[in-house]
Amino acid sequence: MTTRDGVAGAAALVTEAAADRGCTRRSEATGHADLATRRPMNASDRLRVGSVTKTFTATVVLQLAAEHRLRLDAPVGHYLPGVLPAAPDGGPGPTVRDLLRHTSGLPDHLEAPEWEHPETLRFRHFGPRRLVDRALRLSRPDAGWHYATTNYLLAGLIVRKVTGRSPEEEITRRVIRPLGLRDTYWPGDDPRLRGPHSRSYFLSPGGERVDGTDWNMTFGGVGGALVSTPADLTRFATALAGGRLLPPHQLDAMRRTVPADPDRVWPGARYGLGIITTPLRCGGRWWGHAGTVPGGHRALVAVGPGGRTVALALNQVPDTPRAEEDFLDVVQTALCGDRPSGPAHAHTVEPAPAPPSGPASARTSGFASGPLDGPTSGGSPSAGPAGPFGPAPGPFEGPGTARSLGVTPARSPGAPGRPLTATAERTLP
């Protein structure tokens, strides 16, 4: 992608689970983590993971549901009275499940006019209630499925209500610390990244690269503020898929999906409770999430049907439709093909330690088993497209003829081929 698409740096970590020998990991990187110093890109640096944060948040909400501390089909107003206006149809309004699945019918605060130029807001603090209130002053979306980070800010407020702790603290206590995710943390109001990290870059309206590493991420909150690494995302995703974070009933609820708008995500994608699933060209589907931040970092973690996991890190958002499809094709190649070609480093690591306690210690089957996508309360999904993406010769140099789609940055105003700039990401903060 650095050669073909002009991305500053790209890294991939592919992990193969093996019960008899831990996990075998292979990493590949190209380009530069820091353009000023020419430090090479690598797969161990920290980065902002954007909306991959949503899967962490959804996991904790589902844990609370398993503990009977909240109900997924309870109206949001049951936990947050007076926060949302009366439903247009006079009914009880969106449910907790609707928030996690983006079927609440609520607008996104990132669609407000001021977010057309997010770089002007990059050092400002935003509280979740203020962002929710801003979203509620916008027009409601027409579609039944509408990606909105505001949904997850509301979910975070519900977590605070039922636990008495901040959602960030609860996610740390229940997920980050038990899994030993030592490079995953909440940055709060600090715009700087701690520890080894890649710089990130976005394009100015004039087409020049701008360093966007320093950014106050409170606008994303528990919908998009986490900092992590490909290794930590892999450990989280495999623990979730392996049933170590959720009991079977809640994991199945997470996997019940509805069709996602291809103009907001990508063709063939379906959305569950904080998780995306997409068909693989080799059969089956991958489960995971992607995230983008306006400063330029891009992350994705995906688990394939055989337990192979890929985690991707970019330090510049793909700025053309072809580059966006090349990014998605890396996932297809990593999960369907042989090991990544070119220079790679393989080593064996121990599997992540199981949480000392939790609701799902007996679950081992993962995403690839059990019922596939199906209807759940409030949705009636149809079968997603079966057409897979085309093959690619290598993990960073795949072919592509694509649109820039939703779990990606919003397109700059203008013709379809116009490059993307620092326009606020409307679907993934």
Side-chain angles (χ1 to χ4, degrees):
M1 292 186 69
T2 55
T3 301
R4 173 182 166 98
D5 301 312
V7 172
L13 176 66
V14 180
T15 304
E16 196 83 50
D20 59 339
R21 54 186 173 83
C23 300
T24 299
R25 290 179 176 174
R26 292 174 63 88
S27 63
E28 183 172 345
T30 181
H32 296 93
D34 187 328
L35 293 175
T37 66
R38 311 301 287 178
R39 181 170 68 87
M41 189 73 172
N42 67 81
S44 62
D45 277 349
R46 294 175 178 176
L47 76 159
R48 304 189 192 277
V49 301
S51 279
V52 180
T53 306
K54 290 179 170 68
T55 311
F56 286 75
T57 301
T59 298
V60 167
V61 172
L62 286 163
Q63 287 180 350
L64 293 170
E67 297 164 10
H68 306 289
R69 299 177 70 178
L70 59 79
R71 292 182 295 112
L72 292 179
D73 293 314
V76 173
H78 177 77
Y79 302 103
L80 303 174
V83 173
L84 298 182
D89 61 2
T95 65
V96 177
R97 190 189 305 271
D98 288 324
L99 296 180
L100 300 183
R101 198 177 50 192
H102 298 299
T103 52
S104 67
L106 297 174
D108 191 358
H109 61 275
L110 295 178
E111 294 168 341
E114 59 268 26
W115 289 100
E116 288 291 339
H117 300 285
E119 68 275 13
T120 64
L121 306 173
R122 62 187 289 185
F123 297 115
R124 289 182 58 180
H125 168 83
F126 293 92
R129 278 300 304 269
R130 176 184 174 188
L131 293 170
V132 169
D133 290 344
R134 181 67 183 99
L136 296 177
R137 295 198 299 271
L138 302 174
S139 300
R140 284 180 173 264
D142 295 329
W145 187 88
H146 183 77
Y147 195 102
T149 293
T150 304
N151 288 322
Y152 277 74
L153 300 185
L154 286 163
L157 293 174
I158 292 173
V159 171
R160 181 186 290 273
K161 179 75 171 183
V162 302
T163 67
R165 288 181 284 266
S166 74
E168 291 87 353
E169 181 182 357
E170 202 68 6
I171 293 166
T172 300
R173 186 177 75 88
R174 289 170 171 267
V175 178
I176 296 173
R177 192 176 298 126
L179 290 180
L181 307 183
R182 296 179 180 86
D183 291 306
T184 302
Y185 73 94
W186 300 100
D189 273 311
D190 189 351
R192 298 164 299 179
L193 286 171
R194 304 197 303 259
H197 62 273
S198 59
R199 307 297 296 180
S200 65
Y201 305 92
F202 65 90
L203 293 183
S204 71
E208 298 177 348
R209 270 196 184 124
V210 178
D211 190 314
T213 312
D214 294 346
W215 209 291
N216 186 317
M217 287 298 299
T218 53
F219 76 90
V222 294
L226 271 179
V227 173
S228 191
T229 62
D232 273 8
L233 292 184
T234 296
R235 179 167 286 195
F236 166 67
T238 54
L240 180 61
R244 291 168 44 213
L245 294 173
L246 294 173
H249 181 74
Q250 277 69 38
L251 190 57
D252 288 343
M254 174 178 268
R255 295 176 61 251
R256 300 270 177 188
T257 63
V258 296
D261 182 352
D263 288 332
R264 306 284 293 190
V265 188
W266 48 71
R270 297 171 65 88
Y271 205 92
L273 304 186
I275 198 163
I276 299 169
T277 183
T278 300
L280 285 165
R281 63 176 178 241
C282 53
R285 32 175 107 229
W286 64 258
W287 297 83
H289 216 294
T292 306
V293 297
H297 274 138
R298 181 84 182 278
L300 183 147
V301 64
V303 181
R308 181 184 290 186
T309 303
V310 60
L312 305 181
L314 304 183
N315 64 349
Q316 182 179 338
V317 178
D319 61 2
T320 66
R322 184 186 71 182
E324 176 57 30
E325 178 140 323
D326 286 351
F327 175 76
L328 294 174
D329 203 68
V330 174
V331 183
Q332 296 285 332
T333 300
L335 296 180
C336 285
D338 294 328
R339 297 290 188 180
S341 60
H345 307 283
H347 58 282
T348 300
V349 298
E350 293 300 317
S357 62
S361 59
R363 175 80 175 192
T364 59
S365 57
F367 291 135
S369 63
L372 291 178
D373 305 336
T376 187
S377 176
S380 54
S382 58
F389 295 106
F396 290 123
E397 301 303 331
T401 56
R403 299 167 291 170
S404 180
L405 304 172
V407 196
T408 65
R411 179 173 303 285
S412 300
R418 181 174 175 178
L420 304 176
T421 67
T423 301
E425 189 204 2
R426 299 303 178 80
T427 58
L428 296 175

